[in-house]
Amino acid sequence: MNLPPKVTERAFARLAEINDSGETRPLRVAVAGGGCSGFQYDIRLDQAEADDLVLEGGGQKVVVDPVSLPYLAGATIDFADELIGARFVIENPNASSSCGCGTSFSI
């Protein structure tokens, strides 16, 4: 059985800050082919679809489509604010390797 991804409180809090300035939209986390390691994350504000997994916290939503879900099983979606920049990050136990920037991975 695959465990759904988890979203940290910090990620939900940052999404709330982003949505505070306008229309509240879910954060979509998807996996697509490409990138320097074979797969890449697609993270953007979007609308929820009927077949999406919806993760809720702090009045916010993160959505994952059914095709991406197996690649994100057991992953943690977080927000990092570091010297090199602030961004949503994914700690993915399914990834056997990833690129230096953390946006692409291989299985």
Side-chain angles (χ1 to χ4, degrees):
M1 182 170 115
N2 288 336
L3 295 174
K6 294 178 279 186
V7 182
T8 66
E9 288 183 24
R10 183 173 39 212
F12 279 128
R14 179 60 183 136
L15 183 56
E17 290 174 7
I18 293 168
N19 280 323
D20 190 42
S21 61
E23 175 188 355
T24 300
R25 295 194 304 172
L27 182 73
R28 177 168 300 282
V29 178
V31 173
C36 54
S37 297
F39 294 99
Q40 61 188 1
Y41 297 113
D42 180 14
I43 302 172
R44 66 186 188 287
L45 294 177
D46 200 5
Q47 297 301 321
E49 300 294 331
D51 58 349
D52 285 341
L53 170 70
V54 179
L55 306 164
E56 296 186 67
Q60 302 298 309
K61 295 178 182 179
V62 173
V63 296
V64 180
D65 66 88
V67 173
S68 299
L69 198 52
Y71 298 102
L72 296 169
T76 301
I77 301 162
D78 197 4
F79 183 78
D81 191 357
E82 302 168 340
L83 187 58
I84 60 169
R87 61 192 171 107
F88 288 98
V89 294
I90 299 174
E91 296 172 26
N92 192 341
N94 305 302
S96 60
S97 65
S98 63
C99 67
C101 64
T103 60
S104 70
F105 66 100
S106 62
I107 293 182

